[in-house]
């Protein structure tokens, strides 16, 4: 094999590795944008291994928290997911404006009566993380709205 052919193969290998890295890199857990097409742990696979010929299933609806009068309807929820899952969480409120903060992941969102807050991120840290309302806290009310429990795989 000539030196020119070897150089061509090396260049091709570098391109293949670069494309694979970009295509397979993990998501950014600090991403604060709303990714709405992601799965949560509610859509676990059936345990089948290998590729399947079926079309991918539609994403599960987001985990939902509803606030009424500044308090979570039905009490503080415990929302469970597995580490590595894509989490989609929607918070609805009847308040004019509600400032929400998911501790541990340090994500802040604003919810309004006319527009729910949508959280979307990869559950990359195990533990229990509190979703709090800074609006309720500043008004002297209970601030805890939900607990996100990220369990190991």
């Amino acid at each position: 094999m000539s030196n020119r052919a070897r150089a061509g193969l090396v260049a091709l290998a570098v391109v293949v590795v670069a494309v694979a890295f970009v295509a397979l890199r993990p998501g950014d857990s600090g991403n604060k944008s709303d990714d709405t097409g992601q799965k949560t742990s509610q859509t676990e696979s059936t345990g089948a291994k290998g590729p399947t010929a079926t079309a991918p299933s539609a994403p599960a609806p987001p985990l939902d928290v509803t606030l009424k009068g500044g308090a979570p309807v039905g009490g503080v929820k415990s929302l469970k997911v597995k580490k590595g899952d894509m989490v989609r969480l929607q918070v609805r409120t009847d308040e004019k404006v509600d400032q929400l903060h998911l501790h541990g992941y340090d994500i802040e969102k604003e919810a309004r009566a006319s527009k729910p807050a949508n959280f979307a991120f990869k559950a990359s840290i195990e533990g229990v993380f509190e979703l709090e309302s800074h609006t309720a806290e500043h008004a002297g009310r209970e601030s805890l709205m939900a607990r996100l429990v990220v369990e190991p795989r």
Side-chain angles (χ1 to χ4, degrees):
M1 182 181 281
S2 71
N3 286 341
R4 188 176 217 176
R6 278 187 221 144
L9 283 175
V10 169
L12 178 62
V14 168
V15 168
V16 168
V17 168
V19 168
F21 175 77
V22 169
L24 299 175
R25 73 175 179 221
D28 180 11
S29 65
N31 186 355
K32 296 185 183 207
S33 66
D34 290 343
D35 299 327
T36 58
Q38 304 298 326
K39 288 183 180 179
T40 67
S41 66
Q42 294 173 340
T43 58
E44 293 285 328
S45 69
T46 60
K49 296 191 186 228
T52 60
T54 60
S57 62
L63 302 170
D64 190 54
V65 175
T66 302
L67 310 176
K68 189 167 187 172
V73 173
V76 175
K77 285 188 176 182
S78 180
L79 309 168
K80 293 184 180 182
V81 299
K82 297 286 187 187
K83 183 176 181 182
D85 285 351
M86 290 305 299
V87 177
R88 292 178 53 225
L89 169 63
Q90 186 172 67
V91 182
R92 300 175 190 276
T93 184
D94 62 352
E95 299 278 323
K96 191 173 186 179
V97 177
D98 206 335
Q99 295 293 330
L100 303 163
H101 181 211
L102 181 61
H103 290 274
Y105 286 89
D106 202 26
I107 302 172
E108 293 188 12
K109 297 286 182 176
E110 182 177 278
R112 296 178 178 273
S114 61
K115 184 179 180 208
N118 291 296
F119 294 78
F121 59 95
K122 186 174 183 175
S124 59
I125 310 166
E126 292 175 22
V128 179
F129 306 96
E130 295 182 340
L131 175 68
E132 292 185 334
S133 166
H134 288 292
T135 304
E137 181 179 31
H138 296 303
R141 300 185 310 235
E142 174 58 44
S143 62
L144 182 61
M145 300 295 129
R147 287 186 183 91
L148 176 68
V149 180
V150 181
E151 300 174 333
R153 281 235 169 251

